[in-house]
Amino acid sequence: MDKDNLSCANCGVFHCDHLDSDWPSFCMTKRTDDADFQYALGQYNNDPWTKKVFKAAAEIEGLYYGRLTRVEEICLFAQKIGAKKIGIATCMGLVHETQKFVKVLKAKGIDSVCAIVCKVGGIDKTAAGIPDNVKVVPGGHESTCNPIVQARILNEQKTDLNVIVGLCVGHDTLFIKHSEAPVTYLIVKDRVLAHNPAAALYTTGSYYKRLLTPDFPPQRPLE
């Protein structure tokens, strides 16, 4: 295969991790202009906001590796970067988890929290250009997820850090694009695997062999 079509996904060496081997011929490190690495180092060391976030992330990894849950890591990250107001963009189906997360944040001293559910506005999907026949339950009102409005409300609230709790794939993309505050994840939605999408990758040799075939699961027929 042409090395231009190879990337880190094709590597079995990972020399970049410990510098104890050799760079593969297609290595992305070797194929990347040194100016990009120098630019990144300049940001990490000299840009105040980037330095603060990067240092906080490194401290959490280095000092608490494998010891803190993601919930705790987010609380600690918020404290380290001085985030006083936390925004939460939550799926309607994970409101109870969001409510528990808010209690955790407040227990850790973060009292200013604004959570916005995905169905904010109650706008029917058809008004947003979605055909009735691709609703989950066609024929009646079905509120559309509204990630742009979620982001705009949190922008107006001037949040310091926004946390995604289970937004649908694609809706999370739009939220991140329109959010003015930096964004991190608490829960990645996977309705089938109890919000643990990595489980599908771990079971490609057994339960989810279909992932390694060119066929997708059959779609619901459109009328």
Side-chain angles (χ1 to χ4, degrees):
M1 185 181 293
D2 188 338
K3 72 176 184 179
D4 288 340
N5 293 320
L6 299 176
S7 68
C8 297
N10 305 101
C11 184
V13 178
F14 305 114
H15 178 56
C16 57
D17 195 15
H18 295 294
L19 299 186
D20 56 359
S21 183
D22 295 300
W23 304 107
S25 61
F26 60 86
C27 183
M28 298 306 294
T29 295
K30 303 300 289 184
R31 290 161 55 191
T32 299
D33 195 310
D34 188 61
D36 291 329
F37 294 110
Q38 293 305 314
Y39 171 79
L41 286 174
Q43 291 290 299
Y44 300 146
N45 285 293
N46 302 317
D47 180 74
W49 185 86
T50 301
K51 182 176 182 178
K52 177 172 64 175
V53 171
F54 191 69
K55 182 173 183 288
E59 288 177 348
I60 292 170
E61 178 190 21
L63 299 176
Y64 302 99
Y65 192 88
R67 295 169 55 196
L68 297 183
T69 65
R70 180 72 177 196
V71 170
E72 292 169 310
E73 286 183 336
I74 291 174
C75 293
L76 185 56
F77 178 69
Q79 291 173 349
K80 283 183 174 294
I81 67 171
K84 303 299 184 183
K85 189 166 190 176
I86 306 298
I88 304 175
T90 180
C91 169
M92 179 67 78
L94 289 159
V95 168
H96 295 306
E97 288 82 350
T98 291
Q99 291 171 341
K100 292 178 181 178
F101 180 48
V102 170
K103 290 181 180 179
V104 173
L105 289 171
K106 293 189 174 182
K108 301 302 182 185
I110 303 173
D111 294 319
S112 185
V113 182
C114 182
I116 310 295
V117 297
C118 60
K119 304 296 186 180
V120 61
I123 299 170
D124 190 77
K125 289 181 177 180
T126 56
I130 306 301
D132 184 77
N133 62 357
V134 297
K135 289 180 178 179
V136 177
V137 182
H141 177 87
E142 192 167 288
S143 294
T144 186
C145 294
N146 209 332
I148 293 177
V149 171
Q150 284 179 292
R152 288 175 67 87
I153 291 173
L154 295 178
N155 292 344
E156 292 172 0
Q157 291 288 320
K158 300 188 182 305
T159 52
D160 301 308
L161 175 68
N162 289 335
V163 180
I164 292 177
V165 178
L167 296 188
C168 297
V169 62
H171 295 151
D172 54 359
T173 305
L174 288 171
F175 176 81
I176 293 169
K177 177 178 176 61
H178 290 271
S179 172
E180 293 177 357
V183 180
T184 191
Y185 262 96
L186 175 56
I187 298 174
V188 177
K189 177 182 284 175
D190 189 322
R191 301 176 183 90
V192 174
L193 297 175
H195 312 307
N196 178 20
L201 303 178
Y202 299 144
T203 55
T204 53
S206 54
Y207 300 110
Y208 284 95
K209 288 182 179 179
R210 70 172 189 246
L211 295 178
L212 300 180
T213 71
D215 299 323
F216 287 106
Q219 297 181 358
R220 187 180 69 192
L222 301 180
E223 300 177 355

